[in-house]
Every structure is written in C-alpha cells, then in structure tokens.
C-alpha cells in the first residue's frame, strides 16, 4: 500500500450538484429586485420623497431580509443534497455559439451572505435614519444604501462570474458614491476617488480572470467552470487563481491594494459599518471560497492567498496599534480581520468554512463597533480623535456596553463570537497542508501573534475612548483642566441608533457560540465547501487555544497599563520608528506614490509637454509661418496707386529681362 | 536717320512718361505721363512698320490712339469725380484700398 494513500485527501472536497429552483426558491430574484426598486424610487422621486424616503429605504432592505428568511427556512426544510439551487432568470447574452444566462445560485454559502447583508444592512438602515437626520441629502443616502444592498446581493447570488462582476462593480460604485457622500469637502472626494481607482486595479484582475476562464472553459458559469476545472491545465488554473486573488485584494483591502480602506472612512459612519466593515470588503473572501474548486487544482495560487492574508493580518494589526483616529483604527482592524479570513480561505477546504464563519461573526461585531464609534462621534461633536476622548463610559452607558461586547468578541475571549471563529482559523493555520513543511508554523504563529496585537490595539481603542480621564471639557469646569481641551457635551444617542447597536451586540456575544454548537455552521456550508475530515494541527489544540488566550490577555493588559491606568497624552508622542511608520500606514501611500503615482504623473506631464511642444508646436509654427509671410506681403498692399504702378513696372522689366535672357 | 535713333527717342519718351507717372502726385500730371508712354510706344510701332514695310504697326498705333482717347474720357471723369468729393487731385489721397 502506498504511503500517500494514508494522507488525508483534503484536496478533493465533494460538493453537491445544483438542482433547478422550485417552490420558495423561485422567488429568489426578489432579493435583488426589492432593494433595487427602492433605490430607483428614491433616486427618481426627487424631493417629493424627502419626507418618507428613508423609511422606504428601510422597508426595501427589511423586505429583502424577510425573503431571505423564507428562503432560509425553505432550505433548512430540505436535505443537504437539495440545498444547492440554481434559479434561471433569463437568457442574457446570445452571440453566435456563445450564450450566457443570468441566474441565481442559492446555496448555503450565498444564503449566509444574504442573511448577513440584509440583516446587518437593515439594522444599519434603521440606525442611519437617526444618524443622518440633519443631513439635507438623507434620501439620496438611502438610495445609495439600497443600491449597495442590491448590488451586494447580486454579487453573492450570481451563478456566473460575469453576473458576479456586475454586482462586483455595483458595490464598487455604491462604495464610491457613499465614501464621497460629503464630497463638498475635497478630502472626501479624493478618498472616494482613491478607493475607486484602487478597486479598479483589482477589478481588472477579475476581468482578466473571467476572460481567461472563457478562453479555457468556454463558459463562465460556476457549474461549467467547476466541472471542467480538474481537466484544465495547471498553468491556466494558477493564472485564474492569482487573477481572482488580485480582484479579491482590491475589494477586500488586502496587501498590496489595501491603502484605500483607511481613507474610505471619510464616508458617513453607517457606510463604514455596512460597506467597509461588514459586507463589501468581505466580497474578496467570498470570491476565493466560491472559487474553491478552481483553487483546489491550483495549490500555488492558494498558497499565495494564504500569504497575502497573513501579511495583511499583521499589517493591519500594526497600523491599527498607532492610529489615533477611532474610525481609522477600526478600519485597520477590519483589514487585519479580513486578513484572517483570507488566511483561512488560503488554507483550502479545511479553512473555507472557518473563513466564512469568521466573516459572519466579524460582520456582527465590527458593524456593532462602527455603529458604536458613530454613536460616540454623535455625542462628541463629530470628533474622531481618541486622544480627546476618555472617560465617557458613564455618560454613554449603552454605547459603552455594546461596544464592550464587540470588543470582547474581536479579542476572541470565550464565549463571545470571535473566539469560536478566530480560534478555529488559528487552529486550521497550524494544520495547513499535509502537516509538514514551513507553512503550518509560519501561518499558525502569524495568526497567533496577530491575535495578541489585535487584543492590544482594540483594547487601546476601547480604553482611550471610554475609560481613563476625560481629555475634553464640558464648558463648565468639568472634564479636563487643560485650557486647550475642546468643549464637548457627551450624551447618549437616540433609541433608533441604540437598538441596532444592542441587537448587533447580542449577535457579537452569542452568534458564534450558537453557530458553533456541534459544528452547525461548518456542516451547513458543507454542500458548498465539501466535507473535510478534521486535520490534525502540528501542536495540540489545547496548547494553541491556551497560548492564544495568554497572548490576548497580555495584549489587553499592556493596553490597560499604557492607556487605561496611565494618563493618555493629548498630543501624540514622537514614538518609535515603528509607531511613526504605522501612523503613516507603514508608508504604503508613500510607496504607491513613488512607484505608481509619480511615474504616472511624470508620464502624463511629459506626454502633455510633448503634445504641446511637438504636435501643437508643428501646427502653430506652420500657422505662424503663414501669418508672418502674410505680414511681409501685406506691406506691398499700401493703397498708394503709384507704388502699385512701380511694382507693375518692375515686374514687367523683370519679365522682359527673362524673356530676353532666354531668347538670346 | 537710322532706326536706332527712333527707338532711342521712343525709349527716352517712355522713360520720361514712366518716371512722371510714378513720381508725380497730381493725377492730371500722372495722366500726362501715361499719355507720353502710350505715344512713345506708338512711335516704336510706326518705326517698325516703316522698317518692315507693312502696315500692321500703323494699324496698331491707331488702335492705341483710340483706346487712349477712350481712356482719357474715363480717366478724366474719375479724376473730376474724385476732385469733387475730396477737393484734391493727389493720387496719394486715394488710398482707401489700404487697410
């Protein structure tokens, strides 16, 4: 018997074949149609909808959630074999032998996303009703939010890469519109542009991947591509895998295309919560997990996915430790947490389910914390500088508690949500591949150290914001004694903002534990990710868990010592070189500027210069020549009859001289 | 008298006429210069007619005279009109073609 046969065959997960839609599933198109309708009505109705538009937005998103619930119940009613459903919508493109159908793929993976997007989305819609109350363009805001929900649902429900790309671009558009929602201020418009352009780089990768798929398989729908993937050449599959990863890095703010996410915080906070924390930025993880059958035959591409995830995980964590802007610190944390998901997805079938699990729990606790940050900003006069927060736990109790639950969840403290998902990813990272080589040690240790840094920066954020001494003044001698302290009047937010935070906090606390009972969530995803035997980590599981928890405790204690117990400087200290680098996103923007932006600008400027000088120069020189010749000739037309006569005489003399010269 | 003498005389008369026409400002004098040039050519025509022994040159001279007479009528009429409108017979004052 061959030794190789004894190894776990993690490479070939058995996924369930799709069946045609019937019953409740045939109403699946409503998921996309309802929010889209909401967006259309809100955009077209104009100012007439200003009074009730926001409630229509909430209703559109909420009704999509109801449809999703119905589909979910219908799916739970069926056996595992019936859980992958294809809903054919219409014949989209027919050109000669090529035909492309638009259809929806409703399966546990897409339905998990749909439930997350519509549930968290609806809560954030409700929150925005209060948060955007004083904004004159609130209706437009809800139109964009609905557009985003529709595009995101199309992205996750599409049954072909081309239709997925439509949703992919749709969320990019919505993200751009919402980051630049307050585009009357230049930095916001610049941030929106930056996000859009960084995303286009990734989108190009996805587009080329689709073209390559078409060239290799002659089709782009999931069923055909996945069925033919085993027969395709390894080179083509690796190229497709890497290009898909490029698309994912752009959308999910992964290294090296992550620089836009921090600036994207220029958008309203509910947008940061929904798009740049809970849903859109996780689309890259979805893409990788969805393309599992392609990656199954492209192990090198999968390894690159894991490496990208590991790099971003540390990158985001280090950046997050130095940021003083509460939203930017949360953005760096998002980047880092998606790094975890990417790492999980990069581990192959053993990690897919955990990546999606972490995505789900992260969607809850990160959205909850962003809404909490929005609530703090609401109470603190739209300030985001954590060095001027402090000591507001007593004044904003609900925000404090809900944020605290999210904080415990992201730290991975048992029994909160994050523990169940993140710990599984760390475990899986130690168990990667065949249990040999460098990968399990590197990925496992990176994930574990990342957990420690996560604990540090999230605790730093939490303590700086809610605990310690107040570094603001209430204007009546309370708060800070520092005369420069800004005057703030922290107060709890309205109920419409608090309830979504409370619900998300409950999810942050309990969702992970509930879904982890008996591996319920991983079993639920099996029709898509395939059934995988548990792989044995290189270290015993209890050792991993305890070591991780110790690191987390150490990180949190360090943060408490520096930012909870000790006074926080209101002016950022000079800091070590690493701190200074992290404050500037580890010089990512500088590198981008030097490597890409500057050469581009030099190129365009030299092209413009060349155009002006050479091309325009030739033609304007020609015109100048004609004009100056005319100027000279014009002098002969002086209007004096006698000089005309003299010219004629001279001309005749010359002619006669020529004639004579030739005759003689 | 040889042929050359006639032609030299014609050339001298033509040159005087041309110089007058080019240098003088008064339109009447310019006109006289032009007449002088025409008659210098007439002299040349008649001279060649005599030398070649046919009448073509003399016919041409008559043509020139007729044309000159017509031209004098038109030209003098123009000069008189200009003088009436501008109170001047200087050709340099009639420079509307410029600019």
């Amino acid at each position: 018997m061959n030794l190789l046969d004894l190894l776990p065959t993690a490479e070939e997960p058995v996924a369930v074949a799709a069946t045609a839609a019937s019953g409740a599933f045939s109403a699946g198109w409503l998921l996309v149609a309802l929010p889209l309708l909401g967006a259309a009505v809100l955009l077209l109705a104009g100012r007439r909808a200003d009074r009730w538009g926001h409630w229509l937005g909430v209703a559109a998103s909420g009704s999509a959630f109801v449809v999703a619930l119905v589909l979910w119940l219908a799916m739970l009613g069926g056996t595992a074999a019936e859980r992958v459903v294809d809903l054919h919508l219409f014949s989209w493109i027919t050109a000669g032998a090529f035909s492309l159908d638009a259809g929806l793929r409703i399966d546990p993976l897409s339905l998990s996303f749909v439930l997350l997007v519509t549930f968290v989305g609806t809560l954030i819609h409700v929150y925005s009703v209060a948060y955007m109350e004083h904004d004159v363009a609130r209706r437009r805001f809800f139109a964009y939010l609905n557009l985003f929900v529709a595009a995101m649902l199309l992205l996750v429900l599409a049954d072909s890469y081309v239709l997925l790309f439509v949703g992919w671009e749709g969320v990019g558009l919505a993200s751009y519109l919402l980051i630049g929602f307050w585009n009357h201020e230049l930095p916001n418009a610049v941030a929106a542009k930056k996000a859009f352009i960084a995303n286009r780089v990734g989108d190009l990768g996805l587009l080329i991947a689709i073209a390559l798929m078409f060239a290799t398989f002659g089709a782009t729908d999931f069923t055909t591509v996945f069925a033919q993937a085993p027969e395709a050449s390894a080179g083509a599959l690796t190229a497709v895998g890497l290009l898909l990863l490029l698309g994912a890095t752009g959308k999910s703010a992964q290294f090296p295309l992550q620089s836009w996410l921090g600036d994207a915080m220029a958008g309203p906070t509910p947008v940061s919560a929904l798009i740049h924390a809970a849903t859109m930025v996780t689309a890259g993880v979805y893409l990788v997990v969805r393309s599992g059958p392609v990656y199954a035959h492209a192990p090198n591409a999968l390894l690159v996915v894991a490496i990208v995830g590991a790099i971003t995980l540390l990158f985001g964590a280090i950046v997050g430790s130095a940021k003083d802007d509460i939203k930017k610190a949360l953005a760096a944390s998002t980047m880092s947490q998606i790094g975890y998901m990417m790492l999980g997805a990069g581990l192959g079938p053993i990690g897919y389910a955990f990546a999606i699990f972490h995505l789900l729990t992260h969607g809850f606790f990160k959205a909850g914390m962003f809404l909490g940050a929005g609530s703090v900003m609401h109470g603190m006069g739209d300030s985001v500088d954590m060095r001027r927060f402090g000591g507001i736990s007593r004044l904003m109790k609900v925000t404090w508690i809900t944020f605290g639950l999210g904080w415990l969840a992201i730290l991975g403290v048992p029994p909160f949500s994050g523990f169940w998902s993140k710990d599984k990813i760390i475990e899986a990272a130690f168990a990667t591949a065949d249990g040999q080589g460098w990968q399990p040690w590197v990925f496992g240790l990176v994930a574990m150290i990342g957990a420690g840094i996560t604990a540090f920066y999230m605790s730093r954020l939490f303590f700086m914001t809610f605990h310690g001494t107040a570094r603001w003044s209430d204007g009546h001698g309370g708060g800070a004694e520092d005369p420069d302290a800004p005057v703030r009047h922290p107060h709890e937010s309205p109920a419409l903002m608090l309830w979504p935070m409370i619900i998300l906090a409950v999810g942050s606390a309990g969702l992970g534990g509930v879904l982890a009972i008996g591996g319920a969530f991983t079993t639920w995803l099996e029709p898509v990710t395939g059934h995988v035997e548990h792989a044995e980590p290189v270290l015993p599981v209890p050792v991993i868990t305890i070591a991780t928890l110790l690191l987390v405790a150490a990180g949190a204690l360090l943060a408490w010592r520096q930012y909870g117990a000790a006074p926080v400087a209101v002016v950022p200290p000079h800091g070590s070189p690493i701190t200074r680098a992290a404050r500037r996103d580890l010089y990512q923007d500088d590198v981008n500027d030097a490597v890409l932006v500057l050469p581009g600008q030099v190129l365009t400027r030299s092209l413009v210069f060349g155009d002006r000088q050479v091309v325009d120069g030739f033609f304007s020189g020609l015109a100048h020549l004609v004009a100056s010749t005319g100027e000279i000739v014009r002098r002969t037309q002086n209007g004096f009859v006698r000089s005309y006569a003299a010219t004629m005489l001279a001309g005749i003399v010359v002619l006669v001289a020529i004639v004579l010269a030739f005759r003689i | 008298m040889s042929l050359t003498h006639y032609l030299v005389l014609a050339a001298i008369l033509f040159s005087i006429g041309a110089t007058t026409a080019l240098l003088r400002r008064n339109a009447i004098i310019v006109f006289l210069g032009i007449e002088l040039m025409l008659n210098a050519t007439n002299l040349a025509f008649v001279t060649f007619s005599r030398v070649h022994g046919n009448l073509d040159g003399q016919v041409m001279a008559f043509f020139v005279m007729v044309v000159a007479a017509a031209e004098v009528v038109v030209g003098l009429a123009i000069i008189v009109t200009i003088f009436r409108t501008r109170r001047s017979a200087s050709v340099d004052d009639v420079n509307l073609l410029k600019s």
Side-chain angles (χ1 to χ4, degrees), chain A residues 313 340 343 422 425-426 429 442-452 548:
Chain A
L313 186 170
Y340 270 106
L343 173 61
K422 199 200 272 181
I425 291 184
I426 298 174
V442 171
F443 291 147
L445 287 175
V446 163
M448 199 185 258
I449 294 165
T548 309

Side-chain angles (χ1 to χ4, degrees), chain A residues 61-105:
Chain A
S61 176
S63 52
F65 174 63
V66 172
V67 175
L69 265 189
V70 170
L71 293 191
W72 182 53
L73 291 175
M75 191 171 280
L76 283 181
T79 60
E82 299 163 357
R83 284 185 181 169
V84 179
V85 179
D86 265 341
L87 172 59
H88 178 257
L89 291 180
F90 53 88
S91 180
W92 188 14
I93 302 168
T94 18
F98 172 73
S99 79
L100 182 67
D101 291 349
L104 302 181
R105 162 73 63 102

Side-chain angles (χ1 to χ4, degrees), chain A residues 650-664:
Chain A
I652 288 167
V653 167
V654 169
L655 282 177
V656 169
I658 291 171
V659 169
L660 287 180
F662 279 94
R663 277 291 180 81
I664 296 162

Side-chain angles (χ1 to χ4, degrees), chain A residues 73-324:
Chain A
L73 291 175
M75 191 171 280
L76 283 181
T79 60
E82 299 163 357
R83 284 185 181 169
V84 179
V85 179
D86 265 341
L87 172 59
H88 178 257
L89 291 180
F90 53 88
S91 180
W92 188 14
I93 302 168
T94 18
F98 172 73
S99 79
L100 182 67
D101 291 349
L104 302 181
R105 162 73 63 102
I106 303 168
D107 61 12
L109 176 62
S110 61
L111 206 55
S112 304
F113 259 89
V114 168
L115 285 166
L116 174 76
V117 171
T118 52
F119 183 66
V120 176
T122 307
L123 288 179
I124 290 173
H125 273 73
V126 173
Y127 179 94
S128 309
V129 170
Y131 189 86
M132 301 295 285
E133 194 172 359
H134 303 296
D135 199 296
V136 286
R138 178 161 67 162
R139 173 185 52 82
R140 192 163 54 91
F141 181 79
F142 275 87
Y144 293 162
L145 275 190
N146 270 353
L147 177 68
F148 167 75
V149 171
M152 187 73 202
L153 293 181
L154 184 64
L155 194 169
V156 295
L157 283 168
D159 75 340
S160 69
Y161 281 97
V162 177
L163 195 61
L164 179 145
F165 190 71
V166 175
W168 191 269
E169 291 299 308
V171 292
L173 169 70
S175 159
Y176 166 77
L177 291 171
L178 286 165
I179 294 170
F181 187 70
W182 290 319
N183 57 9
H184 45 81
E185 278 170 34
L186 187 65
N188 299 350
V190 171
K193 210 165 66 177
K194 185 176 178 185
F196 199 73
I197 291 169
N199 265 295
R200 292 290 81 63
V201 177
D203 294 352
L204 195 64
L206 180 55
L207 203 58
I208 300 173
I210 292 172
L212 209 55
M213 265 178 226
F214 186 68
T216 316
F217 308 114
T220 61
D221 60 300
F222 294 151
T223 315
T224 319
V225 171
F226 297 163
Q228 293 184 1
E231 284 103 53
S233 73
L237 287 173
T238 307
V240 168
L242 289 175
L243 287 164
L244 287 175
L245 174 65
L246 180 63
T249 55
K251 195 60 84 194
S252 290
Q254 298 292 292
F255 185 82
L257 291 178
Q258 84 287 37
S259 64
W260 63 272
L261 189 62
D263 293 314
M265 295 300 124
T269 309
V271 172
S272 312
L274 178 60
I275 300 183
H276 305 119
T279 54
M280 185 193 86
V281 285
T282 56
V285 182
Y286 168 79
L287 185 67
V288 172
V289 173
R290 175 59 85 194
S291 310
V294 174
Y295 283 107
H297 302 277
N300 291 331
L302 202 59
L303 183 63
V304 178
V305 173
I307 292 171
V308 165
I311 292 175
T312 318
L313 186 170
L314 283 181
F315 194 107
I318 292 169
V319 170
S321 303
K323 289 282 179 189
D324 292 329

Side-chain angles (χ1 to χ4, degrees), chain A residues 637-647 649, chain B residues 18 21-25 91-92 94-95 97-98:
Chain A
Q637 303 291 319
N638 52 12
F640 294 117
V641 179
R642 292 182 303 141
S643 76
Y644 296 159
T647 314
L649 184 70
Chain B
L22 289 179
L23 294 185
R24 296 302 294 266
R25 287 201 181 88
V91 286
D92 283 1
V94 192
N95 60 355
L97 272 177
K98 186 186 177 187

Side-chain angles (χ1 to χ4, degrees), chain A residues 606-618:
Chain A
S606 54
L607 283 179
V608 169
F609 182 79
D611 185 49
R612 294 250 168 84
Q613 298 299 315
V614 179
V615 180
D616 287 5
F618 173 71

Side-chain angles (χ1 to χ4, degrees), chain A residues 28-40:
Chain A
W29 58 273
L30 280 172
L31 285 170
V32 182
L34 287 170
L36 200 60
L37 186 72

